[in-house]
Amino acid sequence: MRPIQRRQQNLQYGIYLLCMQVLNFGIDKIPPATLITIIAQVLLYIGFIKVPWNAEEVCISAIKIFKYHDWKSFIMSNFEHGSDMHLYYNMISLILKGSYLEPMYGTINFIILLAILSFGCSAMYTVLGYALMQLTSDYGYYTQCAIGFSAVLFALKVIVVCEEHDKIRDVGGFRVPSKIAVWVELILIHLLVPQSSFIGHFGGIMIGCLYCYTSIGEMIDNIIYIITGTPIIHEEQFYRRRSSLFR
């Protein structure tokens, strides 16, 4: 997520880079739900999908939700992007995470999980914005507006780490244990890209942690199973991590 900046429609280099990366990765290697999600967000960004709003109008903020009940922003802010490069980096990240998780969980299950994570990230963003305003008396937290899929991506990062065996990851040139990699990335992005939404990224991590480490995740899995009739099967270490919080 990023605080909103006006889209530059004449700058489309990021779309070109994304197409090249998709071709290099192999379209056939990208699972269907992941690929459709990427295509839909690209088409939305370039205006091929006609919607009765622009990106600036559906940025999410605590004040828009709590005071004005702007549910359109609550839903659509995750799928709009402020620039072509913002879209590019988010979709490359989605390719990697979706290609790992979607085959493991199943396409329909993954779609529903993405929807739940999107809803959760929007809710967490608004709650954090309101709470920080109350704690610091800084009204800026209440009104800060952001768009983008990166909050959901941070939630997916946490889930990927929980599914994998512990390993060393490279984050911006730093080799760190996978269990803290997402926190290191959060700090690095905030330092290197100060216009990015720290609240949005942090909220995404919190949603990922709720799914991985608490009974909320088990409830979500049960809901998905009731809807699709197909259970989400996690790796053994995922179940150990989820249960470790209560030991």
Side-chain angles (χ1 to χ4, degrees):
M1 281 188 162
R2 287 188 180 179
I4 189 65
Q5 296 178 339
R6 185 161 294 277
R7 180 182 300 171
Q8 301 177 39
Q9 292 290 357
N10 62 331
L11 181 62
Q12 300 297 322
Y13 183 58
I15 306 297
Y16 168 78
L17 287 178
L18 177 59
C19 291
M20 292 300 99
Q21 289 293 338
V22 167
L23 292 175
N24 289 337
F25 188 87
I27 295 179
D28 58 317
K29 296 179 181 178
I30 303 175
T34 301
L35 182 60
I36 291 172
T37 302
I38 292 168
I39 292 173
Q41 293 192 57
V42 170
L43 294 180
L44 181 63
Y45 175 78
I46 65 176
F48 186 85
I49 297 177
K50 302 298 183 182
V51 291
W53 64 78
N54 57 43
E56 292 81 2
E57 292 173 344
V58 294
C59 66
I60 188 171
S61 66
I63 190 173
K64 289 178 73 172
I65 304 305
F66 287 117
K67 185 174 181 179
Y68 299 109
H69 309 296
D70 186 350
W71 304 118
K72 179 174 63 179
S73 296
F74 189 89
I75 296 170
M76 292 307 303
S77 59
N78 286 307
F79 304 102
E80 289 279 7
H81 289 81
S83 73
D84 58 328
M85 295 307 295
H86 184 201
L87 175 68
Y88 165 73
Y89 286 117
N90 277 355
M91 295 304 99
I92 292 300
S93 181
L94 178 57
I95 289 174
L96 299 176
K97 293 162 185 62
S99 296
Y100 179 80
L101 292 174
E102 185 179 336
M104 182 186 303
Y105 292 170
T107 294
I108 303 301
N109 286 350
F110 185 68
I111 290 172
I112 297 173
L113 179 61
L114 279 182
I116 293 172
L117 292 177
S118 176
F119 181 91
C121 288
S122 292
M124 184 65 74
Y125 181 86
T126 56
V127 168
L128 287 174
Y130 178 81
L132 287 170
M133 184 267 291
Q134 293 290 336
L135 290 172
T136 65
S137 298
D138 185 346
Y139 197 68
Y141 288 116
Y142 195 51
T143 58
Q144 185 182 91
C145 228
I147 55 174
F149 203 65
S150 50
V152 179
L153 292 171
F154 266 92
L156 291 175
K157 292 176 199 282
V158 176
I159 297 172
V160 168
V161 168
C162 288
E163 295 285 7
E164 292 181 331
H165 291 285
D166 291 333
K167 60 173 66 173
I168 300 298
R169 286 180 169 270
D170 185 285
V171 181
F174 297 95
R175 294 181 60 80
V176 298
S178 58
K179 61 185 177 181
I180 66 168
V182 67
W183 298 103
V184 174
E185 185 174 351
L186 172 69
I187 295 170
L188 283 178
I189 289 178
H190 184 60
L191 293 176
L192 298 176
V193 190
Q195 70 269 28
S196 64
S197 174
F198 183 85
I199 298 174
H201 296 167
F202 178 75
I205 292 176
M206 297 306 297
I207 292 299
C209 288
L210 287 173
Y211 179 75
C212 290
Y213 298 113
T214 75
S215 58
I216 292 176
E218 188 173 351
M219 292 171 55
I220 291 173
D221 286 349
N222 290 336
I223 291 171
I224 293 175
Y225 175 62
I226 291 171
I227 295 172
T228 67
T230 303
I232 288 182
I233 306 299
H234 299 287
E235 297 291 345
E236 182 182 349
Q237 58 271 10
F238 184 99
Y239 292 111
R240 290 201 302 267
R241 290 181 172 115
R242 180 174 281 177
S243 62
S244 65
L245 189 66
F246 303 101
R247 290 177 181 173

